Structures are given as C-alpha cells and as structure tokens.
Amino acid sequence: MRVKLPFIICNEPEGSANVLHAPPTPPRPLPRGHGEAEADGCPRSPPPRASSAHSPLSPPLLGLAAPLGLANGPAAAARPPRINHANLCTKTPRPLRHLYGGFCDSVAGVAPWTGPGSQRVARELLAGLLRATGCGSVAEFLRGKDDEEEGGFAAVMALLKQELTKDTWKHNPATKHVFSGTLLHVTRPWLSCHLESVLPPSLLISDDYQEENKILGVRCLHHIVLNVPAADLCQFNRAHVVYHALYNHLYSREAPLVEAVLLCLLDLLPVLERARRHQKETRPTAPCDEVLQLVLTHMEAEHRLALRRVYARALPAFVQRLGIQIARHLKRLERVVLGYLEVCDGPEEEARLGILETLRCTVQHAWPRMPCRLPVLLKALLKLIWDVHTDQGSTPEPVKAALLQAATECLILLDRCSEGQVKVLLEGVYSSCEEGRVRDCIRKVQENT
C-alpha cells in the first residue's frame, strides 16, 4: 500500500541534494473590518488603537503588565477591570516576578542584589498593579476584595511552587523573601485555605543550616500559627510537626534564633494542649513542661549575656502558662533565680528584671510551696537590694528604681504567703540599716497589710 506524503521533492540544480518542502499554506482569511472592500470599493481602515495616555500604568511598565490584562485604555481607567488571576500563573513574565521580589526585599530590608533604582521600579510597578485592579493595598490584592472573588495569593504560590522545592529554593536568593513577604500579608481567615501550600516551604526554610534562613522560616511558622485555626493545625498532626521542628532549634546558641523560637512556641503550646485534650493523652508531661525543662537546663549553665536576657524575658510567660503546675520545676527554677539575681547584665538589667518578674509569678501561682524556701529567697532579695543601692556603675536611676520596686513586690508576696514571717525577719535589718533606699524598701514591706 502506497502512502501519499504531504511533501514534494523539488529538482535542485546539479550538485545539490534533494530537499523536502511542505506545500504552501493557503493564506488566512482576514476578519470582517480588516481590509474588506466596501460597496464603493474602498477598503476599510483598521480601528484606531486606544491611547496609552489614560492607562493607569506608566509606559515602561505597559509591556510587563500586558500579559495580565492591565494595560487599559480610557474605558478601563474609569472602571478598573477584574484581574484574571489565572493569567498571573501562566502569562506573567519573569521580570514581573523579579520586580515583585524586589518590592518584598525592600520591605524586609536592603538585600545585596537590590538597590535604590530596582526598589523604586518595583514600588512603581506594584502601585500600578494595585491601581489597575482597584485594590487599596497589597493584602487586599492577595486575599481578594470580597468572599466571592479569589485573591492573587494562590497565583503567586503557583509561581513559586517550582522554586520552593528542596533542590531549587537556594538557586535564587530572592525566592525566600518573595515567599515570606507575600505570606505576611495574608492573615486570618484567608490563610487557612492555603495551609497546604505555605507550611512545607516554611518548614523547609527553617531547617536550613544558615541562621538567617532559620529565623526567616521560624517567623513564617509563627505567622501561620497565629493566623490558622487550631483545628486546621491539629489536623494530620501538623501542630506536632511544627513543634518538633521548633524544639530542635532550642539547642542553638544564637540569641535571635532562640528568641524567635520561644515566641513561636508560646503561641503554639495552647494548640498542642487542645490536641492533647481531644486525643485524651495520658502522658505525665505536657509539651510546655518539656520546653520549660530544656530552657531551665540551658539557663542554669548559660554565661552569654545575650542568651541570658532572651531566656529571662521569655520565662514569665511559661510560668503563667503552667500556673500551679510550675511546682514540678521549683527545684531547678530556684537555682536559676538565685544565680541570675547575683549577676549584673548591663545598664538595662533585662535579665534581672525578667527573673524578678518570674519570681513574682511563681510566688503567686505556687504560694503553698514558698514558706520552705523563704530563707533562701529572702537572703537573695536583700542582697540584690543592697547591690543595686551601692552600684556605682553606668546603670541609670530609672532602672535601679525598677529593680528595687520589683524586689519589694516579691518581698510583700513572700510575706503574705508565709503569714507575716518576712516582717518578723526584717525587723532586725531595719533597725541596724542606715541606708535610706534600703530602709524605704523594708518599710514598704512592713507597712503592707
């Protein structure tokens, strides 16, 4: 059977090979109105193009915004068009994505690959995009104007999906900033429907070896924890996955990372407690106990002032979270309080102020266990008052006053839970002390009823 091929062999001059040629394609018919002859024989002229003078975008940006349908004429200037977010995924040119990444970098900070010119152009493009879509802010553009209109966040995540994999997310350093800058603009309740697309990249970035990437990933996780309902976080055990990823970062020795992790854990612990109640777990220790136990272990042997300040600032919130259950950790917590009250940590005294706040919360919640510890705590507080009074360093007077006030409040609480034993023990100190500030603190305790 002979098959007729749609090619013909042309006879070429001698010395040249035969060449296959496709048959000529017939010309396409022109649509009506383009070159069609009128009744008088004169061809129609093509319709005039809309002038770009009324476009909401400046001329240099029209080429980038054309695939999105944003290069509008006078009619579109009066009524902003409805943006086709599907075009954002399939037709967005690479320069537009890079300029949007430059805008996110300008928000997060000056990056090595950005400059004043690129940031200015990125802001101009984004402002034109918002004007063309009729949105008042970036957040409104990403989440949509109303419940019926889908925002552009899904389209942006579709663009970043191939660039946020395990093997490709480090190829372009701006990708992580584009992701984090976009994510922080989407809040509750719009973020919950995008949880499956934003949680894996956040965990991936936080699991990097570089400290800046770890901090960036932890902040993305913190934003997800704050803006996604607890029921969605508990589904498929997502909350426990985030918890274990954050818990491993507590072994770090970098103060900024530890601070970001502790802040995120404080907001994640209530979600984990809810999951434990629904699953009816019978473990004796809760996640909050595990975190506090590890934090106290690190605090007890920590000598870096930066980390001591971070731990001391976060400790009162953990005591408030545990309540009366802080009695499980009193032995180790007492050693930490005594050790931190003895060491001055600089002009602001952040560590000492945080430890005094921790002691105040502990006495309020675990007051039945305080009388047996009264001699040790009373001695440490009186020594602190004397050290602050005799300090001739660079500590400002307002800081000294705050330390004395916090120590006095702790003495008053200890006196109340010990049924007046502190007043009896301070009578001899008040009569033998000649320093005015120390006597004022003791008098406040004795006059309190």
Side-chain angles (χ1 to χ4, degrees):
M1 180 177 180
R2 180 174 298 178
V3 180
K4 187 176 181 179
L5 298 177
F7 296 93
I8 57 177
I9 301 179
C10 302
N11 295 325
E12 298 293 338
E14 187 177 356
S16 63
N18 294 333
V19 182
L20 291 177
H21 292 275
T25 304
R28 293 183 178 180
L30 293 175
R32 291 184 60 86
H34 292 269
E36 184 179 350
E38 291 281 1
D40 55 358
C42 299
R44 295 177 181 264
S45 60
R49 295 184 179 180
S51 174
S52 63
H54 301 280
S55 176
L57 299 181
S58 58
L61 304 178
L62 290 174
L64 293 176
L68 295 177
L70 300 179
N72 306 294
R79 180 176 56 84
R82 215 176 159 85
I83 183 171
N84 188 354
H85 294 293
N87 291 348
L88 198 61
C89 300
T90 59
K91 299 182 180 180
T92 304
R94 184 168 295 273
L96 182 60
R97 288 185 284 177
H98 288 178
L99 286 176
Y100 189 77
F103 170 77
C104 295
D105 292 343
S106 66
V107 175
V110 179
W113 55 86
T114 62
S118 63
Q119 294 175 6
R120 176 182 54 79
V121 174
R123 286 192 295 267
E124 182 183 354
L125 174 62
L126 193 60
L129 181 65
L130 296 180
R131 288 195 303 269
T133 55
C135 298
S137 62
V138 179
E140 184 180 351
F141 167 74
L142 292 174
R143 66 172 184 253
K145 290 184 178 181
D146 47 41
D147 297 337
E148 298 180 357
E149 180 181 356
E150 182 183 0
F153 184 69
V156 174
M157 290 306 303
L159 288 174
L160 297 177
K161 183 177 180 179
Q162 300 300 326
E163 300 182 8
L164 284 175
T165 63
K166 181 179 179 181
D167 300 326
T168 61
W169 75 277
K170 279 197 170 182
H171 293 173
N172 186 0
T175 303
K176 57 186 178 184
H177 295 287
V178 175
F179 168 71
S180 62
T182 308
L183 174 64
L184 296 180
H185 281 94
V186 183
T187 57
R188 185 188 296 258
W190 297 277
L191 187 59
S192 58
C193 59
H194 304 286
L195 181 59
E196 293 183 359
S197 62
V198 299
L199 184 58
S202 301
L203 290 170
L204 178 64
I205 297 174
S206 67
D207 195 33
D208 193 51
Y209 68 95
Q210 293 181 345
E211 182 190 356
E212 62 171 335
N213 294 335
K214 292 180 181 179
I215 297 175
L216 187 65
V218 170
R219 288 175 179 171
C220 293
L221 291 174
H222 194 186
H223 180 78
I224 294 174
V225 171
L226 290 175
N227 293 277
V228 174
D232 293 340
L233 289 175
C234 295
Q235 192 177 18
F236 306 119
N237 220 20
R238 295 188 184 105
H240 284 82
V241 173
V242 176
Y243 168 72
H244 288 295
L246 295 173
Y247 187 85
N248 293 333
H249 289 310
L250 291 177
Y251 292 95
S252 174
R253 313 307 301 159
E254 304 297 333
L257 176 60
V258 174
E259 184 175 15
V261 170
L262 291 176
L263 292 177
C264 186
L265 281 173
L266 285 172
D267 292 316
L268 181 64
L269 290 175
V271 179
L272 298 173
E273 291 297 328
R274 175 179 175 176
R276 292 182 73 245
R277 288 195 300 267
H278 282 277
Q279 298 175 3
K280 298 181 180 180
E281 294 184 7
T282 58
R283 288 193 309 165
T285 58
C288 189
D289 294 294
E290 297 175 353
V291 174
L292 183 60
Q293 183 177 357
L294 182 61
V295 168
L296 291 177
T297 301
H298 290 169
M299 291 182 69
E300 196 172 357
E302 187 54 57
H303 64 280
R304 300 181 183 180
L305 291 180
L307 272 175
R308 288 168 70 96
R309 297 187 185 108
V310 169
Y311 288 136
R313 285 196 300 265
L315 197 55
F318 283 98
V319 177
Q320 293 282 7
R321 179 72 62 191
L322 284 173
I324 187 60
Q325 296 178 356
I326 191 62
R328 302 173 180 173
H329 310 273
L330 280 182
K331 186 175 181 180
R332 184 169 295 175
L333 180 60
E334 178 185 337
R335 297 197 299 265
V336 170
V337 169
L338 297 178
Y340 274 59
L341 290 180
E342 292 179 355
V343 179
C344 174
D345 65 306
E348 301 300 328
E349 295 284 3
E350 297 180 23
R352 276 178 164 177
L353 289 173
I355 287 298
L356 287 172
E357 178 66 17
T358 302
L359 178 58
R360 186 183 67 82
C361 297
T362 304
V363 175
Q364 288 178 341
H365 290 288
W367 59 268
R369 304 287 296 274
M370 290 298 110
C372 61
R373 292 174 168 80
L374 182 60
V376 178
L377 295 177
L378 180 60
K379 180 180 178 181
L381 290 173
L382 288 177
K383 185 177 184 300
L384 171 66
I385 293 175
W386 179 259
D387 291 343
V388 172
H389 171 67
T390 58
D391 182 19
Q392 302 297 330
S394 58
T395 305
E397 287 298 323
V399 177
K400 292 183 179 180
L403 286 172
L404 295 176
Q405 179 65 24
T408 304
E409 292 178 358
C410 291
L411 289 174
I412 293 174
L413 291 176
L414 288 173
D415 181 68
R416 291 178 181 177
C417 65
S418 63
E419 299 180 353
Q421 295 184 26
V422 175
K423 293 179 181 177
V424 176
L425 296 174
L426 289 180
E427 289 180 355
V429 178
Y430 184 79
S431 59
S432 61
C433 180
E434 299 180 356
E435 302 296 334
R437 302 183 77 172
V438 179
R439 290 173 63 91
D440 290 341
C441 295
I442 298 176
R443 186 176 66 253
K444 292 179 181 178
V445 177
Q446 292 178 337
E447 293 177 354
N448 184 268
T449 58

